[in-house]
Amino acid sequence: MEASPRGGPYEPDPLHWLIRRISGYASREIGPQTPLAECGLDSVAMLGLFGEIEEGFGPLLDPEDFWVYPSVGALAHQLAARRARRDADRRIRPAFVLGGPGGPHPAVTAGLHRGSAAYRTCLDRVDEALRPHVGCSVAALLRDGGPGPHRAALAPPVTFAVGYALARTLLDAGVRPVAVVGHGTGELAAAVIAGALPLAEAAALAALSGGCAQRLPGGGGMLAVCADPDEALAAAAEPGVHVGAVNAARAVVLSGRLDALARTRDALSAEGVASRLLPTGHAYHSPLMAPAVPRLRALASGTVSERPRTAYYSTVYGCRWAEPLGVDYWAAQVTSPVRFAEAVRRMLRREAPTHVVEIAPKAVLTPYVRRIGGAAGPSCFPVCDGPGSGTADLAGTLSALDARPVADGAVRW
């Protein structure tokens, strides 16, 4: 019996292994040049083969990837290349999850600001990019506190600033993520880290996002529900209540008007389903945000974007996104549900990170990533968990990622 590719020191040649498997499924002899489309594999056989590849070589492919390769030999070559990259990077393969839900504490990174010159330099850089759009110093708010960041107009740029500065600090210490995922406003910082948006463009969009939301009438909100999307909507039975985010199994956020959400909460309680209102003033990521889209489009019509250079997993579409992130993308993001669970699940499967670092003003998403990854998933932890976080937390993150300590000198741009 042939040994499992991951079951011991013996690892078979991918080409011969793949030919034997496909020949068995097709009940005929298959060669290296045989087109995959002509192997006669039905959907059941394809899923079986996909499962064997996952078991033998690790989470290297999505089922739809089969048809990207014109022949059995081409697929085998890709398997070998990905296995080589996996083995070369096996020690540390970090992924960044950049958060954006909730309203940040105004002095959330005061400890880091006091203790880390590297973080201060990165924060000053993004503060300079934001200041023309917000009319004040975000760095000062984060250092000194004050009520400002709780206003709808300032919450997105403050969250963006923290996400960018923390991620940039890790990059300057030598951490190189294999993938990035953003949640809400975190998608803008993720886009900069992935090389899809210049810092100036993303800063303008973060400020626009807050300004457009502030011009909407109040009365909207979001409700976190311990249920799956269909269960939550069925229990709600309220017109105008929408799924705003799917964060993990049985971790859904509903968006809608506050009166409808109050009735929804009562209905869910009667069914024994736990829920809680989130501290937001609008029904984010729902059709109720549509009035903000025309202004966003008009003000951001000149946004310049490139294809991401680091694997970018979109929570608008729930998959890896390789196209430029122009104004159409950000307009869709305003009214679309956050497909976080789907994006993270695909990222974990395809990129096989060893560590997932939450980069946000406060740890919110780490428990969801752990739940999605399961017991065999990557190590998950935040770099910042609120106002009490400081240089010791940053040093611990860098140590876990086998990165060098951050220097107090100039940051490399």
Side-chain angles (χ1 to χ4, degrees), residues 203-223:
L205 284 170
L208 281 175
S209 175
C212 290
Q214 191 177 41
R215 287 177 170 82
L216 292 175
M222 304 183 82
L223 183 71

Side-chain angles (χ1 to χ4, degrees), residues 21-343:
R21 291 301 189 271
I22 295 180
S23 296
Y25 280 111
S27 300
R28 64 185 179 89
E29 200 64 35
I30 297 297
Q33 302 307 315
T34 305
L36 282 170
E38 297 178 10
C39 289
L41 301 178
D42 59 21
S43 59
V44 174
M46 289 299 296
L47 286 174
L49 179 61
F50 172 67
E52 288 200 72
I53 288 176
E54 271 208 327
E55 182 180 354
F57 294 88
L60 303 176
L61 297 166
D62 274 343
E64 59 264 29
D65 287 342
F66 284 119
W67 308 116
V68 174
Y69 307 106
S71 65
V72 174
L75 175 58
H77 178 78
Q78 181 68 6
L79 280 177
R82 290 194 180 191
R83 185 169 70 185
R85 289 198 299 271
R86 179 202 70 193
D87 292 343
D89 297 337
R90 182 172 286 173
R91 188 172 57 163
I92 298 290
R93 288 177 56 83
F96 289 175
V97 171
L98 291 105
H105 186 282
V108 70
T109 57
L112 278 170
H113 196 278
R114 286 191 303 270
S116 172
Y119 174 74
R120 286 197 302 272
T121 302
C122 295
L123 187 60
D124 288 345
R125 172 83 173 188
V126 67
D127 185 44
E128 182 181 346
L130 283 166
R131 196 180 301 229
H133 306 289
V134 299
C136 66
S137 170
V138 168
L141 289 173
L142 287 164
R143 181 188 66 238
D144 303 328
H150 290 291
R151 288 167 42 202
L154 281 175
V158 167
T159 302
F160 168 76
V162 172
Y164 170 83
L166 288 172
R168 187 69 249 185
T169 302
L170 296 184
L171 291 176
D172 288 322
V175 179
R176 293 294 176 265
V178 297
V180 295
V181 183
H183 190 299
T185 306
E187 280 214 279
L188 284 166
V192 179
I193 299 306
L197 277 181
L199 175 58
E201 300 272 351
L205 284 170
L208 281 175
S209 175
C212 290
Q214 191 177 41
R215 287 177 170 82
L216 292 175
M222 304 183 82
L223 183 71
V225 179
C226 185
D228 291 328
D230 290 343
E231 293 177 282
L233 289 177
E238 281 284 341
V241 172
H242 309 271
V243 172
V246 180
N247 292 323
R250 303 192 66 76
V252 171
V253 177
L254 299 179
S255 289
R257 292 194 56 80
L258 286 174
D259 55 351
L261 290 178
R263 292 190 294 271
T264 297
R265 190 175 188 183
D266 291 342
L268 290 167
S269 180
E271 295 286 336
V273 177
S275 64
R276 64 182 177 88
L277 283 172
L278 300 179
T280 65
H282 298 285
Y284 291 107
H285 301 292
S286 79
L288 275 70
M289 298 295 294
V293 172
R295 179 176 174 81
L296 177 66
R297 281 188 171 278
L299 295 175
S301 58
T303 298
V304 177
S305 176
E306 300 179 1
R307 295 175 183 269
R309 294 191 292 272
T310 299
Y312 182 92
Y313 281 80
S314 163
T315 50
V316 175
Y317 299 111
C319 63
R320 181 171 177 176
W321 191 254
E323 298 302 316
L325 299 167
V327 67
D328 288 344
Y329 183 90
W330 302 111
Q333 194 230 24
V334 171
T335 57
S336 299
V338 180
R339 297 167 67 175
F340 181 75
E342 194 174 351

